[in-house]
């Protein structure tokens, strides 16, 4: 095994950048080449069909079955013209990934041959096996039927010669079995609620749109090194490995020069993204070695989420072309930064107003403060739910450590907005001046122009920070489906906006002037949500104590955090907004608990195998060498004056024995803990048992293996080490 390690390390270090086939055209010429967008619709659909489809998309109306055949025919011709041979309904089951079943376009022609057909029926609806996906008991093996149905708001695309049609996925009895269905419901809810409130300021508003800009962090590892690490291949993270002497402590990787191999991968990925209509814009080195980031231009939330899931799929394929593997686990390496997927979220109107952007008039700023106050109230009321929406077995390793926010939801506003909120709280009619102006800073250098400072700083320890014209939900994990966080956030805000509108209407019905009614309700929300407002250091122990005093949820056990989905407040809120029923919530929690258990279970099995069959045998062989050497030394130096010469080897032998004994005993304990937990029938209680008994054993076993790594001969150690994994040449 050690020879294999040195061979793969040498192979990885000798690799050169793979040449990238760069299109001759500029990006605007091949952008969205494989997307059935409006330009393609106009080209391939009859005029009446095109107008009806666009009208349905713009006004969020269903497409009539009568037009489905016409749309399907045009979509098929476009797909075949671009080399597609198959089609699939592309949906988002409760696995955090995507699913697809490919069918060819062929059908019998009645003459012994085939013809390529694609009907409206096949476009609009299909029947995947619902019992084979996570469903929380909604579907049994003998109740397999489920339905996928076309989401006309997200355009079809071609991936690897297959026409992919974005769809929802529901059970035979109508419950959601995916992330897209409740996400679309939440977007409709926030549209209706937000529009009602926005019309208090502008009656011309017809829609409020939710926008999302994700920042995808990831690690790259050479494929040969990845293959030599069973833990990486099977769990997505290293279950052992002592930190490298040099990692990120010099802060020299962040925004540093991109290695040529990585830059070739990034360029290739960017081209593939643009062809699929993903507006990839930013790329850079992240803080940890081998960690990078890609970020797009903001889009409507449903489309942005589809694009992020598509990105995670294609980046893995592109990485393999460049002899890399992409790691999307939130904490693939201990001791250095983990990876998040910051969700930059905002709301805007169809009249072009960004609702989280300050205005130039008191009226515009009252609208701005109104929506800010409602968001703060929603996040305060549902802080436990929002934490549950980003929690998982993998994200648990990241939260609260190295550039990740703590497992306590709070809102950072910045000093200027905080001052305005205080002003409103302490005044009956606050004067809301122009908040758009930026303060200039002159550095006294003639060649450097004046720098305009934003009206808020950034707080990297805040899980939910206001950053000028949006909120940055920083706690989302890199491997997660953004919809989990976005559907909870949009639903909570929609419910709060509905309550706000009802309260303002009651005041106005009682004779209060509209502006004063709005201000009074905003003031009330600001006071009620003060506990969620925190602009300090989220990493400090003082904040944890203060958060508990404020009544914020401070639970750290992931299985117990999931309980927030089933609290009365959450069930009522999701029910009022129509986003998720109680049955759907209960089923999803069953899936979450089961998924937590399975991921920890896999890690425990992999670690047990590596410890017993890889690490301990190597440590035993090295210990035998030391014992043999010690015996020989004693025969050469039998007198007591050479005892100090022999003491070092004896001490090392004893340390190896001690660590080996701990590893063996803890592996045995971990196996017994798994067996005991597996007998528990309740998915919740089983997940809690895994959290309380199996996870601590994993941590202890790792700690002692990492100590052995520093003692055992480097040439004998069986697995690539951090110093070899983390630095791409």
């Amino acid at each position: 095994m050690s020879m294999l390690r040195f061979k793969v390390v040498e192979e990885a270090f000798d690799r050169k950048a793979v040449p990238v086939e760069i299109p001759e055209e500029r990006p605007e010429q091949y952008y969205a080449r494989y997307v059935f967008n409006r330009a393609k619709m106009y080209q391939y659909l009859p005029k009446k069909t095109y107008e009806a489809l666009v009208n349905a998309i713009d006004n969020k109306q269903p497409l009539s079955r009568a037009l489905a055949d016409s749309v399907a025919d045009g979509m098929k011709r476009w797909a075949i013209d671009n080399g597609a041979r198959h089609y699939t309904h592309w949906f988002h089951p409760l696995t955090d990934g995507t699913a697809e079943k490919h069918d060819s376009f062929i059908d019998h022609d009645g003459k012994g041959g085939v013809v390529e057909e694609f009907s409206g029926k096949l476009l609009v609806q299909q029947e995947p096996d619902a019992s084979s996906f996570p469903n929380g008991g909604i579907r049994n093996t003998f109740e397999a039927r489920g339905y996928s149905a076309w989401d006309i708001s997200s355009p079809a695309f071609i991936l690897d010669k297959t026409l992919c049609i974005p769809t929802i996925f529901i059970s035979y009895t109508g419950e959601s079995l995916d992330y897209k269905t409740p996400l679309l419901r939440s977007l409709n809810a926030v549209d209706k609620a937000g529009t009602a409130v926005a019309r208090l300021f502008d009656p011309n508003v017809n829609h409020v749109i939710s926008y999302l800009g994700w920042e995808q962090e990831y690690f790259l590892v050479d494929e040969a090194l990845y293959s030599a690490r069973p833990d990486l291949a099977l769990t997505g993270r290293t279950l052992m490995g002592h930190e490298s002497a040099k990692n990120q402590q010099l802060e020299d990787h962040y925004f540093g020069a991109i290695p040529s191999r990585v830059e070739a991968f990034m360029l290739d990925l960017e081209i593939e993204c643009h062809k699929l209509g993903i507006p990839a814009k930013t790329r850079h080195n992240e803080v940890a070695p081998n960690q990078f980031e890609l970020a797009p231009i903001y889009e409507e939330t449903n489309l942005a989420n589809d694009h992020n899931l598509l990105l995670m799929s294609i980046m893995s394929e592109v990485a393999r072309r460049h002899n890399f593997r992409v790691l999307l686990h939130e904490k693939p390496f201990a001791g250095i930064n983990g990876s998040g997927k910051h969700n930059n979220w905002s709301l805007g109107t169809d009249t072009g107003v960004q609702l989280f952007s300050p205005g130039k008039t008191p009226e515009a700023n009252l609208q701005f403060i109104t929506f800010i106050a409602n968001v703060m109230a929603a996040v305060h009321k549902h802080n436990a739910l929002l934490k549950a929406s980003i929690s998982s077995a993998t994200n648990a390793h990241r939260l609260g450590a190295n550039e990740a926010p703590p497992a306590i939801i709070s809102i950072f506003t910045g000093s200027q907005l905080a001052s305005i909120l205080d002003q409103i709280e302490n005044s009956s009619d606050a004067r809301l001046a122009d908040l758009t102006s930026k303060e200039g800073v002159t550095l006294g250098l003639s060649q450097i122009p004046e720098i305009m400072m934003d009206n808020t700083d950034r707080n990297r320890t805040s899980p939910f920070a206001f950053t000028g014209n949006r909120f940055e939900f920083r706690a989302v994990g890199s491997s997660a489906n953004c919809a989990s966080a976005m559907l909870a956030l949009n639903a909570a805000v929609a419910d709060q906006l509905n309550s706000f509108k009802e309260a303002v209407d009651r005041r106005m019905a009682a004779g209060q002037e509209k502006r004063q009614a709005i201000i009074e309700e905003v003031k009330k929300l600001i006071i009620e949500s003060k506990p969620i407002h925190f602009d300090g250091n989220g990493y400090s122990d003082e904040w944890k104590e203060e958060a508990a005093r404020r009544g914020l949820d401070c639970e750290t056990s992931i299985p117990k955090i999931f309980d927030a989905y089933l609290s009365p407040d959450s069930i009522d809120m999701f029910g009022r907004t129509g986003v998720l029923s109680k049955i759907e919530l209960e089923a999803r929690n069953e899936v979450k608990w089961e998924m937590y258990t399975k991921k920890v279970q896999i890690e425990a099995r992999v670690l047990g195998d590596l410890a017993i069959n890889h690490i301990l045998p190597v440590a035993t062989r090295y210990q035998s060498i030391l014992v043999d050497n010690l015996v020989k030394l004693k025969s050469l130096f039998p007198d007591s004056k050479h005892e100090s010469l022999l003491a070092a080897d004896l001490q090392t032998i004893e340390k190896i024995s001690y660590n080996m004994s701990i590893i063996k005993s803890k592996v045995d304990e971990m196996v017994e803990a798994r067996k005991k937990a597996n007998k528990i029938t309740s998915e919740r209680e089983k997940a809690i048992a895994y959290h309380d008994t199996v996870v601590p054993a994993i941590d202890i076993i790792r700690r002692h293996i990492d100590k052995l790594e520093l003692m055992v001969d480097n040439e004998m150690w069986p697995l690539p080490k951090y110093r070899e994994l983390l630095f791409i040449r």
Side-chain angles (χ1 to χ4, degrees), residues 273-290:
C273 284
H274 290 167
K275 288 179 180 178
L276 288 165
I278 303 172
K281 185 174 179 65
T282 300
R283 63 188 193 192
H284 62 81
N285 287 4
E286 257 299 333
V287 173
N290 276 24

Side-chain angles (χ1 to χ4, degrees), residues 175 180 376 462 468 479 680 716:
E175 293 89 3
K180 181 183 275 283
M376 294 181 69
S462 175
S479 68
I680 301 173
M716 296 178 66

Side-chain angles (χ1 to χ4, degrees), residues 608-623 656-657 659-665 667 705 708 712 717-718:
D609 170 54
L610 289 176
I612 300 301
N613 298 315
H614 293 68
I615 303 303
L616 291 186
V618 168
T620 300
R621 286 200 299 272
Y622 181 62
Q623 186 184 50
I656 291 175
S657 293
N659 285 291
M660 288 174 62
S661 66
I662 295 294
I663 292 168
K664 180 64 172 67
S665 65
V667 168
I705 291 177
L708 283 181
V712 172
W717 194 253

Side-chain angles (χ1 to χ4, degrees), residues 481-502:
N481 186 323
C482 297
S484 178
M486 288 295 100
L487 71 89
L489 176 60
N490 280 292
V493 171
D495 191 53
Q496 174 55 47
L497 288 169
N498 283 331
S499 297
F500 175 83
K501 178 63 165 54
E502 291 170 3

Side-chain angles (χ1 to χ4, degrees), residues 504-542:
V504 170
D505 287 347
R506 284 194 299 270
R507 286 180 177 273
M508 292 171 61
Q512 194 169 33
E513 184 264 333
K514 182 175 72 173
R515 186 173 189 276
Q516 195 60 36
I518 293 172
I519 289 177
E520 290 299 325
E521 283 302 316
V522 166
K523 180 178 180 180
K524 180 181 176 183
L525 295 181
I526 291 171
I527 294 171
E528 290 176 354
S529 63
K530 285 186 76 173
I532 203 72
H533 181 195
F534 178 66
D535 285 355
N537 179 11
Y539 288 159
S540 68
D541 291 334
E542 290 79 8

Side-chain angles (χ1 to χ4, degrees), residues 552-595:
L552 302 182
D553 188 275
C554 298
E555 181 61 64
T556 57
S557 168
I558 299 298
K560 293 179 180 177
I561 287 173
F562 292 149
D563 289 343
Y565 277 104
L566 297 178
S567 71
D569 284 346
S570 294
I571 292 173
D572 290 346
M573 181 275 290
F574 280 124
R576 283 192 298 268
T577 55
V579 173
L580 286 166
S581 68
K582 184 179 180 182
I583 292 175
E584 289 171 321
L585 287 168
E586 290 171 342
R588 282 163 189 269
N589 260 30
E590 288 292 302
V591 172
K592 288 178 181 293
W593 285 316
E594 183 181 11
M595 198 68 70

